[in-house]
Amino acid sequence: MKFTDNIEELKEISRRMRIDILKMLHESGSGHSGSSLSCIDILVAIYFSKMDHSPDRKREDLRDKFVLSKGHGAPALYAVLAECGYFGKENLLTLRKLKSKLSGHPYSCSTPGVEVTTGSLGQGLSQSNGLAMAGRLNGEDANVYCLLGDGEVQEGQVWEAAMSAAHCKLDSVIAIVDHNQLQIDGAVENIKNIEPLSDKWAAFGWYVQDIDGHDFRQILDAIDAAKAEKERPSLINAHTIKGKGVSFMEGVVKWHGTAPGAEELEKALEELSAPAGGGK
Amino acid sequence: MTVEKLSLREYYGKTLVQLGGENKDIVVLDADLSSSTKTSLFGKEFPDRFFNMGVSEQDLMGTAAGLAAGGKIPFVSTFSIFASGRAWEQIRQSICYPQQNVKIVTTHGGITVGPDGPTHQALEDISLMRSIPSMKVIVPSDAHETVAAIKAVLDFNGPVFIRLSREKFPVIFDETKTFKLGNADVLKKGADLTIIACGLMVHTALEAAGELEKEGISIGVINMSSIKPLDRSAILAAARETGAIVTAEEHSIIGGLGSAVTELTSENIPVPVVRVGVRDVFCSSGTAEELLACYNLDKNAIITAAHRALELKKQRRV
């Protein structure tokens, strides 16, 4: 794999990752399309530009770490990990199948590159804090990235962990909210409003930035600013679109946890067929 | 004659300090109860490796999982009900499923928490922990066994739950006591019936056995501190050799030691098993002694259960 700061290259990787995500979801017949597509640009920015990592490094080696707290975005993580070389791409089509390396939600014991186990919402930030505390005890200069869902922040444990990270001044923790405004049962604001989200994190003692979560320039700059921040953890409130990149999935709640059928896949792949360019 | 009693949690705290000096990877986490659980002793000695997570048990377990993923060996303590109940799902998902090397050592297990009442008593903790795949469950019977168990689990890589208590326990073993997962102590051999107990009830079982011997009944007593994995061979030998079993635990009769023993015997050597424990009720405030008597966790309860088991054994033969 190669790292890049080139926006066009990152867009092109994202386009290919979207194709991998849709193909694996179609093959599995279940899984979270909309939630994977809304966070893939963030994952690509982290894994192909900002994170210090390599599939060749062992568990105990110094490296940055990533925790997918919104574990249902697993297809996006698996696509990226395969592209980075953590495991062969042929595994992608085994998603969610019996005895597959790729469980429905990220499992550290079965999937190379998956740092900790997530999927039951609200549990990833505490684990990220623990990883950061272990790194600090070892005198390591490494970041821990943690991707949360916006529906997920309705879990109380997220706020327990938010308090802990600020109290312990875990400035190596960079949490990102994939703020796509939809959860399983509908719009987040109708189910249980989480706003004002950025103000809440700021009130908890975090350095907060609001960005467009599909604009690579903004994602990269926000991560740089978060890395430079000392004495407090960082929260990037990334405003995204559920199902981003596939017109008929964008902003449609039913695509939160649905896989595309054959016709839908064909239509989606057609939309994604042209190499990335133009737009944001 | 007065019985010597020692605090399990005091010995836990002191052992942590000793181990912390020897192994720099040990970290300790607590949730605002460190002066009760005695992890404060470690915190005083090694402030950099002690994390008071505040009143946040879910975050406590999750953070411990992260520290373990980062190569540390976390010992996590709080009251048993809050660890096993409040944070059950974090223990299942973040610790046990990914096989994180986290040692959960709780205090204030059982009914002898006393005056704080049912909100703080843990009568389901063994059951809750035992049902999670891969979790090891240990209930030491005295302070010396506590020390041995804490040291032993350090050599085991994976999640462990050790349940201690608020009350001081009568001393059964001396400092040479060793502990091995899956190994019980046969404290007394008998011919007619075996009492299998854990925790505080081991001492009570020995007292009850003494009384029953006076009636001419030959009683065996086993300390089953390793509730998961169970010492299968010790239990099956007791079933084969004595043909009747009484279990005794400071826990609900549902899902704890009594259930574990019954599950094993019924599938292998189905002998009568009569369980002594809290019979599916919420208890009350009160002193430890009052509560043990009120909810049938005393010597007399074990003697009554033994007679019942012997009667069932006789009926089977007819």
Side-chain angles (χ1 to χ4, degrees):
Chain A
M1 66 166 296
K2 93 183 217 321
F3 294 95
T4 179
D5 280 335
N6 183 299
I7 303 292
E8 295 310 314
E9 284 180 17
L10 290 169
K11 277 189 199 167
E12 174 55 18
I13 297 171
S14 265
R15 184 187 69 86
R16 291 192 287 106
M17 295 297 94
R18 283 191 161 89
I19 291 171
D20 286 349
I21 289 167
L22 291 162
K23 282 183 177 170
M24 73 173 107
L25 281 164
H26 170 67
E27 182 64 27
S28 82
S30 72
H32 298 78
S33 304
S35 316
S36 299
L37 294 172
S38 66
C39 69
I40 188 63
D41 294 329
I42 297 163
L43 283 179
V44 165
I46 291 172
Y47 271 90
F48 293 92
S49 184
K50 290 300 170 193
M51 195 159 97
D52 176 28
H53 74 109
S54 153
D56 303 328
R57 287 186 222 172
K58 296 196 191 73
R59 266 199 176 268
E60 58 273 23
D61 290 344
L62 175 65
R63 67 201 191 289
D64 288 341
K65 287 161 186 164
F66 176 82
V67 172
L68 185 68
S69 192
K70 50 165 279 183
H72 54 285
L77 178 61
Y78 296 155
V80 164
L81 289 173
E83 184 74 14
C84 290
Y86 281 89
F87 48 82
K89 282 214 161 197
E90 70 281 3
N91 287 289
L92 293 180
L93 295 184
T94 68
L95 171 72
R96 288 177 166 243
K97 297 207 191 296
L98 189 66
K99 304 287 179 188
S100 165
K101 259 192 205 330
L102 308 183
S103 188
H105 293 83
Y107 182 35
S108 56
C109 296
S110 73
T111 311
V114 170
E115 210 70 51
V116 298
T117 295
T118 51
S120 172
L121 294 175
Q123 302 198 18
L125 188 56
S126 297
Q127 298 190 72
S128 303
N129 290 345
L131 284 166
M133 288 152 100
R136 177 187 281 180
L137 284 171
N138 294 338
E140 295 169 1
D141 179 23
N143 284 107
V144 182
Y145 296 87
C146 177
L147 186 71
L148 298 149
D150 52 354
E152 182 182 14
V153 306
Q154 291 165 348
E155 288 280 5
Q157 188 185 349
V158 171
W159 300 100
E160 294 182 2
M163 241 186 274
S164 295
H167 180 81
C168 297
K169 300 187 167 73
L170 297 177
D171 52 15
S172 60
V173 172
I174 301 174
I176 301 148
V177 175
D178 174 13
H179 199 159
N180 60 35
Q181 300 190 6
L182 295 175
Q183 57 189 113
I184 299 180
D185 276 351
V188 174
E189 67 172 338
N190 294 334
I191 305 295
K192 175 142 82 178
N193 184 28
I194 59 172
E195 300 298 345
L197 188 63
S198 288
D199 291 347
K200 283 179 178 148
W201 287 92
F204 272 68
W206 288 57
Y207 168 54
V208 179
Q209 304 173 76
D210 272 80
I211 62 162
D212 174 344
H214 299 300
D215 182 326
F216 278 105
R217 184 75 270 148
Q218 290 190 36
I219 302 171
L220 299 184
D221 289 348
I223 291 173
D224 284 341
K227 282 167 113 171
E229 183 67 20
K230 295 293 166 222
E231 296 284 302
R232 56 179 176 162
S234 283
L235 186 281
I236 299 172
N237 186 356
H239 298 271
T240 57
I241 294 166
K242 198 129 192 169
K244 171 75 177 176
V246 178
S247 61
F248 59 89
M249 291 184 179
E250 288 189 2
V252 179
V253 75
K254 88 153 193 173
W255 287 104
H256 168 93
T258 314
E263 276 179 37
E264 290 158 331
L265 177 68
E266 199 182 334
K267 214 172 140 201
L269 294 185
E270 207 172 297
E271 289 186 21
L272 292 164
S273 62
K280 276 194 270 199
Chain B
M1 183 187 114
T2 55
V3 186
E4 187 194 5
K5 290 186 177 184
L6 292 173
S7 160
L8 279 59
R9 47 193 172 118
E10 284 284 351
Y11 274 68
Y12 165 53
K14 286 181 199 162
T15 306
L16 271 185
V17 173
Q18 185 201 332
L19 296 176
E22 296 163 5
N23 187 333
K24 303 294 175 208
D25 282 333
I26 293 177
V27 295
V28 176
L29 297 87
D30 206 299
D32 195 36
L33 289 168
S34 65
S35 54
S36 293
T37 64
K38 302 302 173 193
T39 59
S40 55
L41 299 173
F42 183 96
K44 211 171 152 191
E45 201 70 30
F46 308 106
D48 293 347
R49 288 189 274 143
F50 177 73
F51 304 101
N52 196 329
M53 303 307 297
V55 192
S56 319
E57 291 78 14
Q58 304 172 78
D59 187 39
L60 171 79
M61 294 301 170
T63 308
L67 277 155
K72 301 300 170 191
I73 308 170
F75 279 77
V76 186
S77 292
T78 178
F79 287 4
S80 211
I81 189 62
F82 306 136
S84 66
R86 185 63 160 264
W88 184 88
E89 208 220 345
Q90 282 71 19
I91 294 173
R92 179 186 189 272
Q93 315 277 22
S94 294
I95 295 175
C96 291
Y97 176 41
Q99 293 293 294
Q100 299 294 7
N101 191 21
V102 176
K103 315 303 180 192
I104 300 166
V105 184
T106 66
T107 66
H108 296 62
I111 198 178
T112 50
V113 173
D116 273 347
T119 51
H120 286 53
Q121 294 160 359
L123 295 167
E124 308 88 355
D125 50 349
I126 299 172
S127 172
L128 286 164
M129 291 297 106
R130 193 170 76 85
S131 61
I132 304 178
S134 85
M135 182 60 116
K136 309 289 183 258
V137 179
I138 302 167
V139 182
S141 61
D142 79 353
H144 296 307
E145 184 173 36
T146 300
V147 174
I150 299 291
K151 289 180 176 171
V153 298
L154 201 51
D155 296 329
F156 167 78
N157 190 329
V160 176
F161 178 82
I162 301 181
R163 183 222 220 192
L164 309 178
S165 297
R166 173 175 181 263
E167 286 292 291
K168 291 179 178 172
F169 281 10
V171 174
I172 295 171
F173 300 102
D174 63 23
E175 291 87 347
T176 63
K177 169 75 177 127
T178 57
F179 176 89
K180 196 162 170 246
L181 273 170
N183 276 23
D185 302 299
V186 178
L187 299 176
K188 189 175 169 313
K189 279 269 188 186
D192 299 326
L193 177 142
T194 306
I195 306 170
I196 302 175
C198 66
L200 180 63
M201 297 307 285
V202 175
H203 182 261
T204 314
L206 288 168
E207 286 183 332
E211 298 284 321
L212 288 161
E213 295 274 348
K214 286 181 201 159
E215 298 177 29
I217 307 166
S218 171
I219 303 286
V221 177
I222 293 177
N223 168 35
M224 191 60 62
S225 47
S226 180
I227 293 181
K228 190 181 173 189
L230 274 178
D231 188 335
R232 294 168 57 94
S233 59
I235 294 169
L236 294 178
R240 199 179 302 113
E241 290 161 18
T242 66
I245 290 172
V246 167
T247 62
E249 63 197 307
E250 195 193 338
H251 184 270
S252 168
I253 52 164
I254 298 172
L257 174 66
S259 293
V261 169
T262 309
E263 288 155 14
L264 180 70
T265 53
S266 68
E267 288 183 348
N268 293 280
I269 305 176
V271 298
V273 177
V274 178
R275 296 162 299 158
V276 171
V278 174
R279 303 199 79 82
D280 197 22
V281 291
F282 292 106
C283 299
S284 161
S285 289
T287 67
E289 211 169 306
E290 286 167 347
L291 289 163
L292 289 169
C294 180
Y295 293 96
N296 295 314
L297 290 169
D298 58 3
K299 185 174 70 180
N300 293 334
I302 295 180
I303 292 169
T304 304
H307 285 301
R308 169 82 184 138
L310 288 168
E311 181 56 34
L312 289 168
K313 179 177 159 184
K314 202 156 75 184
Q315 284 173 16
R316 285 177 81 233
R317 291 219 180 101
V318 176

